[in-house]
Amino acid sequence: MGNGIAGLDKTDRTLLRMLQQDGTLALAELAEAVNLTTTPCWKRLKRLEESGVLRQRVALLDPVKLGLAFTAFVQIKTSNHSKEWYHCFVETVSDFPEVMEFYRMAGEYDYMMKVQVADMAAFDKFYKKLVNSIEGLTNVTSTFAMEPLKYTTALPV
């Protein structure tokens, strides 16, 4: 691979951009777009997968059409920073299907998560499950999205 972002060349980046837009593109379509035959294109894709740059190909679902239009951002402070507590906390929160994203933060809050549920009642049920599952949460603050203005899974490669 050539120089550039994470050792990717122009062809690699083009393939990645195309796959981020449509993960179902056929090998022949991808190869044609980057002026390769299918075998070298397949080898590039295989190398991108093996290196972990191309992690997986998934379907993106519409939360509104699935009745999951309520988005909450939950910020958490804790006084417990032990390794044992951390591992238990991460494992517990990671098992909640409502949690779409989960981060350890720098700044005022220790953790932040994006939660996707049907409505306020469903969020309240999630909130109670969260706070009753984890000891040592000193502050749990939630904010709610009124309208999504931008959402993308495509990285700027």
Side-chain angles (χ1 to χ4, degrees):
M1 292 188 194
N3 294 332
I5 302 170
L8 304 176
D9 66 15
K10 182 179 178 183
T11 300
D12 294 328
R13 290 192 304 274
T14 299
L15 289 170
L16 292 171
R17 279 193 299 272
M18 291 177 69
L19 287 172
Q20 286 187 108
Q21 294 303 312
D22 183 355
T24 66
L25 287 172
L27 178 60
E29 290 177 88
L30 292 166
E32 183 180 337
V34 294
N35 297 313
L36 291 174
T37 59
T38 55
T39 300
C41 184
W42 179 85
K43 286 180 179 176
R44 279 178 178 266
L45 292 173
K46 190 80 172 144
R47 189 168 56 232
L48 290 166
E49 288 173 344
E50 289 171 354
S51 71
V53 170
L54 179 54
R55 292 192 331 206
Q56 61 184 330
R57 301 180 203 192
V58 299
L60 299 177
L61 308 180
D62 186 320
V64 173
K65 291 182 179 175
L66 291 169
L68 298 168
F70 193 87
T71 305
F73 295 91
V74 180
Q75 296 175 296
I76 296 171
K77 290 182 185 178
T78 181
S79 56
N80 192 335
H81 297 281
S82 74
K83 183 187 282 187
E84 296 77 19
W85 183 90
Y86 169 80
H87 287 296
C88 179
F89 177 58
V90 170
E91 189 175 306
T92 301
V93 171
S94 296
D95 284 343
F96 292 164
E98 305 92 338
V99 176
M100 304 304 297
E101 299 178 48
F102 181 37
Y103 301 94
R104 187 169 60 87
M105 304 296 291
E108 185 178 350
Y109 289 91
D110 299 309
Y111 301 93
M112 185 170 75
M113 60 186 78
K114 177 183 174 185
V115 177
Q116 199 73 41
V117 292
D119 52 26
M120 181 59 86
F123 178 78
D124 187 48
K125 185 177 176 182
F126 163 81
Y127 178 88
K128 288 173 183 170
K129 181 172 66 169
L130 173 70
V131 298
N132 289 318
S133 298
I134 309 291
E135 295 291 327
L137 304 181
T138 57
N139 185 336
V140 180
T141 301
S142 303
T143 55
F144 308 104
M146 299 297 292
E147 176 185 14
L149 301 176
K150 180 181 179 180
Y151 169 79
T152 183
T153 61
L155 295 173
V157 295

